[in-house]
Amino acid sequence: MTSSKTGVVLQINNSTELVLTKVSGEFVSGETLNVSAAPQATTTSITNKNSALTVSLHAQYKNLAADNYRADIAAVPGTGNVLGVHQYKGVKYAFRANAGDTAVDMYKSTAGGWTQVVFGYEVAFTAASVAPAEGGTLTQGGVTAVMRRLVIQSGALAGGTAAGRMIIDTIAGGNFAAGAFTGGMTGTCSGIQTAITLVKGGRFEFVNYNFTGSADTFRMYGCDGANRAFEFDGSYFVPIATGMTTDTPKFITAYRNKLFLAFRGSLQFSTTGNPYMWTPLTGANEIGVGDTITGILPVAGGSSTGALAVFSRHTTSILYGSAADDFTMVLI
């Protein structure tokens, strides 16, 4: 085009009309059309968007454009099948086994293509009464790290009984060891930090949910049947420990401000408002379904309350209620 406008030709109709996509700017009548700097034709009209003569042609042209754009989308790096794709806060995330087929990686869609999400480390603690703010520094002797997420699984800081894990990164000075922290936290470190990794063998399910009244805590949750469930906020990946001996839930949803996970025939839910805490002392509990669960899904329950559909190999049930003391499972 003599005016430097560009477009990709999808189809030529009767040698007189071009169907274009990826048009930059507006074509005008009387301009020379060039292909690789060689003149090919002269325009006789301006560009007309979405101007197919019939609905059928419009659909055909849209499909041609989709095929053209699809070729621009790079495959998720790695090997084997893509194990899950999910959209959170307008960004797409995907999981796939790494190039060596030894573990599962998480990728984020960016303008430059798929970018791997780097997992951090987790370190366990007990008897904590003070903890650093997220983004604060954790210290033990000459070892330091940045604390990204405080995961209290039992007890409370106020009573000096808090126990759980911290998600950390930017580790310097060596490794943490069993013993007291010397800075940022009043509590006892349970041992060396461990890298967060995902093993192969699962297929992911996801749910987006906010367990608090703050807009900043709307997060993505997932599980795959081969690893612990997880929480992700766009930056930090937090494995969720339920206390199960084999902690590999296969199905996940959020209902009544609780995180629900399915382990074979066991339906379990977290403490209200806290997806990290899975102790009955704070309201978490388990419902035995008596059959292999194949899916869980919030549904409309009535004019004033929702319900949770629980699908299993041979039955379908509806869970009514809002907490452990009034949940009722009704076989339908």
Side-chain angles (χ1 to χ4, degrees):
M1 177 68 71
T2 53
S3 62
S4 299
K5 303 298 188 295
T6 61
V8 175
V9 178
L10 297 174
Q11 183 171 297
I12 301 175
N13 295 334
N14 301 319
S15 299
T16 60
E17 182 181 68
L18 300 178
V19 180
L20 303 174
T21 191
K22 296 182 180 176
V23 175
S24 67
E26 292 291 338
F27 287 28
V28 297
S29 181
E31 291 194 272
T32 301
L33 295 173
N34 300 308
V35 177
S36 300
Q40 301 293 319
T42 301
T43 60
T44 58
S45 73
I46 63 172
T47 39
N48 295 298
K49 297 180 181 178
N50 298 322
S51 56
L53 296 178
T54 67
V55 173
S56 177
L57 279 176
H58 178 75
Q60 177 184 324
Y61 297 159
K62 294 287 281 187
N63 186 63
L64 290 172
D67 287 344
N68 187 273
Y69 275 96
R70 191 173 292 114
D72 297 335
I73 302 172
V76 179
T79 58
N81 294 328
V82 173
L83 304 174
V85 178
H86 187 63
Q87 182 163 303
Y88 165 67
K89 289 188 175 181
V91 178
K92 293 177 178 62
Y93 295 90
F95 293 79
R96 194 180 186 192
N98 61 20
D101 201 26
T102 58
V104 173
D105 291 333
M106 180 181 184
Y107 290 90
K108 174 182 180 178
S109 177
T110 70
W114 292 104
T115 301
Q116 185 175 349
V117 174
V118 178
F119 299 150
Y121 294 78
E122 54 187 342
V123 61
F125 66 88
T126 58
S129 57
V130 176
E134 293 179 357
T137 300
L138 183 69
T139 304
Q140 187 187 57
V143 182
T144 63
V146 177
M147 198 277 283
R148 300 300 184 183
R149 188 75 74 245
L150 180 67
V151 182
I152 296 177
Q153 297 169 216
S154 64
L157 291 172
T161 59
R165 294 164 294 126
M166 289 176 287
I167 306 304
I168 60 174
D169 59 18
T170 321
I171 302 169
N175 297 314
F176 289 96
F181 293 103
T182 58
M185 186 168 198
T186 302
T188 302
C189 179
S190 300
I192 190 172
Q193 74 278 357
T194 57
I196 297 171
T197 60
L198 296 173
V199 302
K200 295 169 47 185
R203 191 164 186 86
F204 289 85
E205 286 206 346
F206 310 93
V207 63
N208 296 336
Y209 199 78
N210 193 343
F211 287 96
T212 79
S214 169
D216 296 332
T217 52
F218 179 68
R219 292 171 181 169
M220 163 181 166
Y221 297 86
C223 69
D224 72 334
N227 297 277
R228 288 174 291 175
F230 69 85
E231 175 192 84
F232 184 67
D233 68 350
S235 298
Y236 306 113
F237 188 94
V238 182
I240 294 174
T242 67
M244 288 286 286
T245 302
T246 303
D247 199 354
T248 57
K250 191 171 183 179
F251 301 102
I252 187 170
T253 196
Y255 168 68
R256 288 289 190 174
N257 213 27
K258 302 170 180 59
L259 187 65
F260 275 74
L261 298 173
F263 301 80
R264 294 178 61 84
S266 172
L267 181 65
Q268 301 186 21
F269 53 89
S270 70
T271 299
T272 301
N274 189 343
Y276 303 152
M277 195 168 286
W278 293 78
T279 170
L281 296 176
T282 56
N285 218 316
E286 173 186 23
I287 299 171
V289 176
D291 197 1
T292 301
I293 297 171
T294 57
I296 46 179
L297 180 70
V299 295
S303 60
S304 61
T305 182
L308 184 68
V310 182
F311 306 97
S312 58
R313 186 74 65 191
H314 301 99
T315 61
T316 297
S317 301
I318 300 294
L319 181 68
Y320 295 99
S322 58
D325 57 357
D326 71 347
F327 274 146
T328 302
M329 187 81 83
V330 178
L331 180 68
I332 64 170

